[in-house]
Amino acid sequence: MIMIRHKARIVVSLFTLFFGGFTITHLRGAEQTESRPNFLFVIADDCTFRDIGCYGGQALTPNIDSLAQQGMRFTHCFQQAPMCSPTRHAIYTGIYPVKSGAYPNHTFVKDGTKSVAHYLKPLGYRVHLSGKTHIGPKSSFPFEYSGKKNPDFKAIDQLLTESSRDGTPFCLFACSNEPHGPWNKGDASQYDSSTITLPPYFVDTKETRENMVDYLAEITYFDGQVGELLTLLDKHGIAGNTMVVVVSEQGSSFPFGKWTCYDTGLQSACIVRWPGQVKAGSVTDAMVEYVDIAPTFINAAKGTPKAGIDGVSFLPVLNGETHAHKRFVFGEMTTRGINKGSPYFGIRSVRSEKYKYILNFTPDVTFQNACTTSTIFKSWRKKALAGDNEAAEKISRYENRPAEEFYAIQEDPYEWHNLANDLNYAMQKAKLKRELSRWMEECGDKGQQTEIEALEHQGRKRQSKDTGRVEKTGKL
């Protein structure tokens, strides 16, 4: 009997040692996770912010709309460049495009450039990118990778399983390829091409309406991806300690969106949910930029943003300490090297709360890109040739840009009334010109010379392709 009791005590001791140790380790891991939030950053691809439901759009986006009710909706979030590759480099590095070297499309950053992965990993984070990449070189972006053009939900589920098990915080970038063209995903039958409302800067044609319906359906498809990601957080019981950020990227590839420095091209939806930290159902007019995202994550993870990062943490906006962030936001567009783009057409812009100034380096050059060869734009030309003056005006406005553009953005949100030569706004215009010059100088932006050098900042295949085009056409 004594021997049996002794063995029982040994078993109990071993049980306590093993499972007690597991419990202590698990609790320590939980404490670590609790003290530092997880980050889920979800980004669309070529989605005009105005088309999302909670921003007044026609797209059915129940998951994003619900997220906005649970968190904070930003009304003035902007990216640095209205195309994929420079935008994503700016997000991950927190550095403006020309300064990092990643300013044309299909680009890469300068050697030695660091990204958010370099800053969060030492703080104990796993940093994972699932879906579209469009960044380089890999040494500057030492993420864990999964998926190709869209998030890999199986890989993400595994990441969350391991993170929850090990008590390791994560930073997950879930990068969609939607609603990037071709618009062939989602259920277009949810929309009626005859009743949808077209933006005032569109030409009303059958082709425009049919494409608009397909595009809206693909936004709804993206919303479904957002919903699936949120469901995974709930499945693993970690939604309460995860900061979720959903952004729309640059505007769509319809005219006056992507590839332009108008707000339709540069402004982004941005919704942040962080239970216990961000007030549910709140809306902020604070002006933030995509370069601010990396330092905000570092700040929220209790790290210190490093010198050399251009972005500024907007954590004080999220926790309600302030309702303002930046006085000016900046944009740049480089057509050199893009598909079917003008040989060169550089654009720079600066925006305050009330005004917008745009500088076009080469107003004598016709502005072209993949949009101007689309079936949509061709239908606009056909209508113009048939005598429609409004269609002709919109085509001309898109392809022919003056050297300077200046807009009273609050009264003219679609930037249709150019006030660059209006003396009543001379003082405001001069102020923004100074701010733009200062920013360009800080970034090492030499204007047209920087545009000419764009091919040096693209991958070898892209450089070869565009150099061949120049040699063939005899045009720069």
Side-chain angles (χ1 to χ4, degrees), residues 92 114-122 125 127 140-143 173:
Y92 305 138
K114 292 185 177 181
S115 69
V116 64
H118 291 96
Y119 305 126
L120 289 183
K121 282 186 174 182
Y125 279 78
V127 185
S140 289
F141 304 96
F143 301 139
F173 294 96

Side-chain angles (χ1 to χ4, degrees), residues 39 41 80 88-95 114-120 123 141 143 171 173 243 245 289-306 309-315:
F39 302 106
F41 181 85
Q80 275 50 73
R88 291 159 195 263
H89 283 91
I91 290 170
Y92 305 138
T93 64
I95 303 174
K114 292 185 177 181
S115 69
V116 64
H118 291 96
Y119 305 126
L120 289 183
L123 298 176
F141 304 96
F143 301 139
C171 176
F173 294 96
M243 179 196 292
V245 182
E289 297 180 290
Y290 275 14
V291 290
D292 300 331
I293 291 166
T296 299
F297 283 3
I298 297 167
N299 197 184
K302 297 179 172 55
T304 302
K306 305 299 182 182
I309 291 181
D310 294 317
V312 179
S313 169
F314 54 83
L315 192 61

Side-chain angles (χ1 to χ4, degrees), residues 202-221:
F202 278 12
V203 176
D204 194 343
T205 67
K206 178 176 178 287
E207 290 81 1
T208 303
R209 287 184 170 277
E210 289 177 347
N211 278 276
M212 186 70 175
V213 161
D214 292 339
Y215 159 69
L216 291 174
E218 199 150 299
I219 296 178
T220 300
Y221 182 90

Side-chain angles (χ1 to χ4, degrees), residues 126-137:
R126 289 182 63 175
V127 185
H128 190 110
L129 191 158
S130 188
K132 182 170 180 174
T133 54
H134 229 332
I135 51 177

Side-chain angles (χ1 to χ4, degrees), residues 68-273:
Q69 290 299 315
Q70 299 165 28
M72 178 178 287
R73 182 170 64 86
F74 284 76
T75 63
H76 289 78
C77 175
F78 298 86
Q79 58 193 62
Q80 275 50 73
M83 52 187 175
C84 297
S85 189
T87 287
R88 291 159 195 263
H89 283 91
I91 290 170
Y92 305 138
T93 64
I95 303 174
Y96 287 123
V98 172
K99 185 184 289 188
S100 74
Y103 63 94
N105 212 12
H106 311 283
T107 188
F108 54 89
V109 292
K110 297 173 183 176
D111 289 342
T113 301
K114 292 185 177 181
S115 69
V116 64
H118 291 96
Y119 305 126
L120 289 183
K121 282 186 174 182
L123 298 176
Y125 279 78
R126 289 182 63 175
V127 185
H128 190 110
L129 191 158
S130 188
K132 182 170 180 174
T133 54
H134 229 332
I135 51 177
K138 285 288 181 70
S139 59
S140 289
F141 304 96
F143 301 139
E144 300 173 23
Y145 289 93
S146 67
K148 292 182 179 179
K149 288 187 175 182
N150 274 296
D152 182 333
F153 293 101
K154 184 177 180 180
I156 291 172
D157 191 15
Q158 183 65 29
L159 169 70
L160 303 191
T161 297
E162 294 172 359
S163 177
S164 299
R165 181 195 65 203
D166 301 336
T168 304
F170 64 82
C171 176
L172 167 62
F173 294 96
C175 305
S176 178
N177 189 219
E178 319 311 334
H180 191 291
W183 300 307
N184 55 11
K185 295 184 178 67
D187 181 9
S189 68
Q190 298 177 89
Y191 303 94
D192 186 345
S193 63
S194 66
T195 60
I196 57 170
T197 301
L198 296 179
Y201 48 88
F202 278 12
V203 176
D204 194 343
T205 67
K206 178 176 178 287
E207 290 81 1
T208 303
R209 287 184 170 277
E210 289 177 347
N211 278 276
M212 186 70 175
V213 161
D214 292 339
Y215 159 69
L216 291 174
E218 199 150 299
I219 296 178
T220 300
Y221 182 90
F222 167 70
D223 181 78
Q225 293 178 318
V226 173
E228 192 166 351
L229 290 162
L230 297 178
T231 297
L232 285 175
L233 294 182
D234 292 335
K235 171 186 173 181
H236 292 279
I238 54 178
N241 191 44
T242 300
M243 179 196 292
V244 178
V245 182
V246 176
V247 298
S248 59
E249 210 205 37
Q250 66 266 347
S252 74
S253 54
F254 281 94
F256 298 103
K258 181 179 182 178
W259 303 302
T260 79
C261 283
Y262 299 121
D263 275 9
T264 304
L266 289 173
Q267 192 165 351
S268 169
C270 179
I271 296 164
V272 181
R273 184 186 76 180

